[in-house]
Amino acid sequence: PDGVWEIASWGKTFDGQAAIREGLFSLTASTEYVIQQNSPAMITIDGDSATATSVICENGKQADSDEAFQALGYYVDELVRTAEGWRFKRRRFELASMRTYRFTGS
């Protein structure tokens, strides 16, 4: 409930479930689709805390447009063990590159 999602390169931080949900919706509202390809995370556990780093490639298409995009970046995560299992305490996304291009498929 008190997790934080941060997109460092855009200067955006979303605190708590409601803000994270709204942030995800607002960032994807103008897209027709988004496909994420995540790499396995490198995880270091220290008792009831952990850190994880994973690479992500994201491809998508803007709705009502022939513009598509590809983003490449990585997540740096802080995790905590709860009674329900491991949960994100903080998830920070670092954008490495972003490109747009004309979508030519149907």
Side-chain angles (χ1 to χ4, degrees):
D2 58 349
V4 176
W5 178 41
E6 178 184 1
I7 305 173
S9 56
W10 292 353
K12 293 189 177 286
T13 302
F14 306 94
D15 294 301
Q17 288 178 347
I20 292 169
R21 187 178 304 112
E22 179 58 34
L24 285 167
F25 178 76
S26 69
L27 292 171
T28 60
S30 65
T31 62
E32 185 173 316
Y33 67 83
V34 175
I35 299 169
Q36 291 185 333
Q37 298 164 301
N38 297 335
S39 71
M42 296 293 299
I43 303 170
T44 303
I45 299 173
D46 183 12
D48 289 337
S49 298
T51 58
T53 303
S54 59
V55 175
I56 182 170
C57 180
E58 203 171 71
N59 294 278
K61 181 184 173 303
Q62 297 300 329
D64 302 321
S65 170
D66 66 353
E67 184 177 289
F69 63 89
Q70 182 179 60
L72 180 62
Y74 59 94
Y75 285 110
V76 178
D77 301 323
E78 298 174 30
L79 307 133
V80 292
R81 188 188 329 242
T82 70
E84 295 80 32
W86 288 96
R87 299 292 184 259
F88 289 101
K89 177 179 179 180
R90 183 177 201 91
R91 171 159 256 206
R92 187 177 82 234
F93 177 71
E94 294 283 352
L95 182 66
S97 71
M98 177 85 161
R99 71 181 187 107
T100 60
Y101 57 93
R102 187 171 160 269
F103 185 78
T104 58
S106 59

